Amino acid sequence: MVPGLKVLLFFTLHLLQTAESSMVHLNSNGYEGVVIAINPSVPEDERLIPSIKEMVTQASTYLFEATERRFYFRNVSILVPITWKSKTEYLTPKQESYDQADVIVADPHLQHGDDPYTLQYGQCGDRGQYIHFTPNFLLTDNLRIYGPQGRVFVHEWAHLRWGVFDEYNMDRPFYMSRENTVEATRCSTDITGTNVVRECQGGSCVARRCRRDAKTGMQEPKCTFIPNKSQTARGSIMFMQSLDSVVEFCTEKTHNVEAPNLQNKMCNGRSTWDVIKASADFQNAPPMTGTEAPPPPTFSLLKSRQRVVCLVLDKSGSMSLGSPITRLTLMNQAAELYLIQIIEKESLVGLVTFDSTATVQTNLIRIISDSSYLAISTKLPQYANGGTSICNGLKKGFEAITSSDQSTSGSEIVLLTDGEDNGISSCFEEVKHSGAIIHTIALGPSAARELETLSNMTGGLRFYANEDVNGLIDAFSGISSKSGSISQQALQLESKAFNVGAGAWINGTVPVDSTIGNDTFFVITWTVKKPEIILQDPKGKNYTTSDFQEDKLNIFSVRLRIPGIAETGTWTYSLLNKGATSQLLTVTVTTRARSPTTLPVIATAHMSQSTAQYPSRMIVYARVSQGFLPVLGANVTAVIEAENGNQVTLELWDNGAGADTLKNDGIYSRYFTDFHGNGRYSLKVSAQARKNMAKLNLKQKNKSLYIPGYVENDQIVLNPARPEVPEEATEATVEDFSRLTSGGSFTVSGAPPDGDHAHVFPPSKVTDLEAEFIGDLIHLTWTAPGKVLDKGRAYRYVIRMSGHSLALQEDFSNSTLVNTSGLMPKEAGSKETFKFKPETFKIENGTQVYIAIQADNEASLSSEVSNIAQAVKFIPPQVYLTPSTPPGLGTKVSVPSLTVFVLVATLFIF
């Protein structure tokens, strides 16, 4: 890890959330339920809330104008952390929480830089995860750098709500147009400006005009587009909302389809306005008439409170099923682990059990010591009998909360059941009115199908556990605090099950990195007879069976809490099955952050949808990060289990191909198509780093455009240089680590039981095709798609070329075919290369060839046409004429001098 990085990470806290958890809804053109949450690490500042209000109010008017009087912000909740002082105007939140907020206010990505950004990694039109503003951005005048804050908010809102992408590209700020001119990557091309290089020495900077690279014909490195301050172009907000004239999104008429930006790549060349028009919001919101401005937004101020959780556990007769371990025992193992190892200290926890009736076993107890959780765990049910009444269980859960002088609003209920209940819908209205958040755990294939409705209507999590020994433990481990305080949350390091023969040993290792180690537990369970246990820490100290504490509930488990802080390094465990028959042994390891100032590596996961109608495509997403910093190079694996017990293991990729939007952003993705029948599926994800292969990415990829300066009255006026991470420090090594996380459950309907889908799903679209001339040959590179989306091996490639990009986009099948007879597709995820001579083109200086690719499988299903790659033939001049350095910072730049320079640059290149 680079020196001081741990200190920098102290300034960041983050929790991944799914877009589906947002409470935002559109009501008669007005957005309601918008939540802006302030991170617990942000110091209290009286200026912050008024600044947020002003930003949203500005944004509402700008949004209204930009969407042709369709949308505005009607009401917004601002959630302040529990660490702030109480005030009379602060209300108690209901389902609003930090990890489900639409906007978070938290310290920067690193110690420097306040670029706003939206965490967005879905497909075109998919909603993003959250918008991140820093306190410094909100409290500082950044008008010249980003534009008015309200406009920045609208730019980010378009990412978040409508799934559009940026129309600039910091990695490719220039491109060669079809007219053989070098253009800035922008939309629209009506935005005018000039290209300069900033050169700084000491405390002063000057700007000189960019030179053209003699080898490529493109602008030299570090060349930057400087816009004219005065413009007539009205678009686009997704390029440069800071310009006064920009009041709309790029439309079909103004869209720059040539620009190599993420909007064109992800949305197949469609304009941002076209994508917005296709959204459900647009379809349900005709323009407002009779008003030139929307009503101002209203604001509610909410203050987070201490966590309140009530476990509502099924003890009906069906819970006695299971062999050799009953469902009841599995539930008790998981519930005890949750109470001892997962729930945060100072939380208020109660327990209700139910069959056809329900009983409050304990009202709320504050978890402050071992005696606290023992008072609850000793009341876990020992016998299973009776019917199933989920509503009775929920009502008693509400009673346990209110009897302890707590409000049900904002409280959480963890509901676990394995049974059907035809009367569950009878209490839906009462559940809604309670304001409680219901997390549901469906155990086994017969659990009530309405459980997910309870979670969806209350903003709760949803889990499915088959009757395996780990399922429930993993589900309970996924129900952590929503406060945004990562340092308090339990992290799962290991969850493994072994079928061990009589008299046999099994061995395993668990890495404990230096960011964790507080409150570390090793838990062993068995199905027949307690095994012999040997656990060794990295310094060679041994813990044996006698060191593990056996509970008094006879639930086939023992645990060891490591005193103090667990040693950093590799822990080794060995288990001996002392029974006369084979049995299942499990190992579960949990821990917490080493200290409140040390942010651990975390992994979070979810599916692109919580419900799917076959054959809709689903994507598995996992985020691996330390604070806001992406972790690259981890081995990330998803295990998806169907109701029938069929398990699918997927390696997730962060390669910018297939389902993955951006390469090296710490988001690991993969298509999931291996459906095995209908019903519930569970998702679990493992992230590991070994042999120092993982890195922290210290550069934020998706961020608002930092305007380098403006041309004003024929003068180039530069803004302060953006703080940048030095190139040599853009990555930092991450210690070996292991993390496990539950991604909850999802539901599938209409799926066949056999799992063979090659005749339904085509190969995935190639999204990273690159082309360049080397000599007279065009060299292509891309990432191989699969037989079924991004799995397996495609049957063949079809490559076509044209002198016009639109021809490939609109009429691919009639464009010139490239001979690919010697090209055999590789396994999905592999790097493909191919070179050919464009025989139908006259190769000369300035020749442009556009290429696209399609993949077919054996079922004759074709992928979408790839992104369109451009190859430009550039012949370097024999004599390179360097234009004279033009006027610099603050010096008048006349229009004639601009014209002369462009002419010179053009003449010596082409």
Side-chain angles (χ1 to χ4, degrees), residues 4-43:
L5 184 57
K6 292 181 184 176
V7 178
L8 303 185
L9 292 173
F10 169 65
F11 293 99
T12 60
L13 284 174
H14 127 87
L15 184 66
L16 179 68
Q17 56 214 307
T18 68
E20 293 175 1
S21 63
S22 171
M23 299 173 62
V24 177
H25 59 278
L26 189 65
N27 181 13
S28 300
N29 299 92
Y31 285 113
E32 300 179 344
V34 179
V35 177
I36 300 176
I38 301 171
N39 192 278
S41 68
V42 174

Side-chain angles (χ1 to χ4, degrees), residues 161-400:
R161 186 70 184 178
W162 301 313
V164 297
F165 295 86
D166 289 324
E167 291 167 338
Y168 46 84
N169 187 337
M170 297 175 189
D171 294 327
R172 288 190 63 187
F174 298 95
Y175 68 97
M176 188 71 71
S177 75
R178 64 170 69 97
E179 284 82 20
N180 277 340
T181 60
V182 177
E183 294 282 352
T185 300
R186 67 197 191 279
C187 192
S188 72
T189 54
D190 293 336
I191 292 177
T192 57
T194 190
N195 306 324
V196 303
V197 172
R198 178 197 298 263
E199 294 181 335
C200 299
Q201 189 168 7
S204 63
C205 296
V206 296
R208 64 166 176 81
R209 300 300 167 82
C210 301
R211 303 185 182 101
R212 302 282 284 276
D213 188 295
K215 294 182 179 179
T216 66
M218 298 297 292
Q219 299 287 14
E220 64 180 299
K222 297 187 178 181
C223 182
T224 303
F225 175 74
I226 305 288
N228 293 325
K229 185 67 175 173
S230 177
Q231 302 273 351
T232 58
R234 294 175 58 84
S236 165
I237 291 169
M238 299 313 293
F239 172 62
M240 198 173 285
Q241 75 284 335
S242 61
L243 297 172
D244 292 342
S245 68
V246 171
V247 292
E248 63 185 35
F249 296 93
C250 258
T251 66
E252 185 178 1
K253 292 182 179 179
T254 60
H255 180 59
N256 178 10
V257 73
E258 287 188 285
N261 54 38
L262 205 54
Q263 173 64 25
N264 279 330
K265 173 188 172 182
M266 296 301 300
C267 298
N268 294 327
R270 296 164 62 201
S271 72
T272 53
W273 187 239
D274 283 344
V275 176
I276 293 169
K277 287 198 297 183
S279 70
D281 287 354
F282 194 96
Q283 305 302 318
N284 295 319
M288 293 176 67
T289 57
T291 178
E292 292 302 315
T298 60
F299 296 91
S300 301
L301 302 182
L302 312 175
K303 185 173 185 289
S304 298
R305 62 168 183 167
Q306 201 61 54
R307 193 177 185 197
V308 175
V309 180
C310 186
L311 304 183
V312 178
L313 307 180
D314 188 349
K315 68 173 193 69
S316 62
S318 56
M319 292 293 288
S320 64
L321 299 176
S323 177
I325 300 295
T326 66
R327 295 176 179 176
L328 191 75
T329 298
L330 292 174
M331 178 185 75
N332 286 343
Q333 286 178 349
E336 184 184 58
L337 181 141
Y338 182 73
L339 292 167
I340 297 174
Q341 301 172 218
I342 305 299
I343 193 74
E344 296 78 16
K345 295 293 187 291
E346 298 296 329
S347 298
L348 294 169
V349 183
L351 174 64
V352 168
T353 59
F354 71 93
D355 43 52
S356 54
T357 61
T359 303
V360 177
Q361 299 294 345
T362 65
N363 287 322
L364 299 180
I365 295 175
R366 190 174 299 276
I367 303 296
I368 55 177
S369 64
D370 290 355
S371 61
S372 306
Y373 64 74
L374 284 173
I376 304 172
S377 63
T378 54
K379 296 295 183 72
L380 289 170
Q382 299 301 297
Y383 304 100
N385 54 62
T388 303
S389 176
I390 292 170
C391 283
N392 283 342
L394 291 173
K395 291 174 182 178
K396 281 295 181 183
F398 298 152
E399 180 184 314

Side-chain angles (χ1 to χ4, degrees), residues 18 20-21 100 412-416 437-443 448-465 471-472 474-476 478-480 482 605-612 618 643 679-684 741-749:
T18 68
E20 293 175 1
S21 63
Q100 293 180 339
E412 299 170 68
I413 284 182
V414 179
L415 171 64
L416 183 150
I437 300 165
I438 314 293
H439 308 299
T440 59
I441 303 175
L443 175 57
R449 295 295 164 184
E450 297 85 356
L451 285 178
E452 283 77 11
T453 304
L454 287 170
S455 293
N456 294 341
M457 73 168 62
T458 64
L461 303 172
R462 46 189 283 181
F463 299 91
Y464 169 68
L472 282 181
D474 294 338
F476 271 100
I479 307 174
S480 56
K482 298 184 174 188
H606 69 96
M607 299 297 295
S608 57
Q609 306 159 243
S610 59
T611 59
M618 298 197 74
E643 278 189 4
R680 296 181 175 109
Y681 288 68
S682 66
L683 167 66
K684 289 183 280 192
T741 186
S742 173
S745 66
F746 60 97
T747 308
V748 175
S749 58

Side-chain angles (χ1 to χ4, degrees), residues 562-582:
I562 304 301
I565 303 295
E567 291 287 348
T568 298
T570 300
W571 290 66
T572 303
Y573 59 83
S574 299
L575 306 179
L576 169 64
N577 178 10
K578 298 195 297 183
T581 61
S582 63

Side-chain angles (χ1 to χ4, degrees), residues 789-800:
L789 294 177
D790 56 5
K791 184 178 180 182
R793 188 192 300 262
Y795 177 63
R796 66 176 180 182
Y797 291 121
V798 176
I799 300 177
R800 294 183 183 272

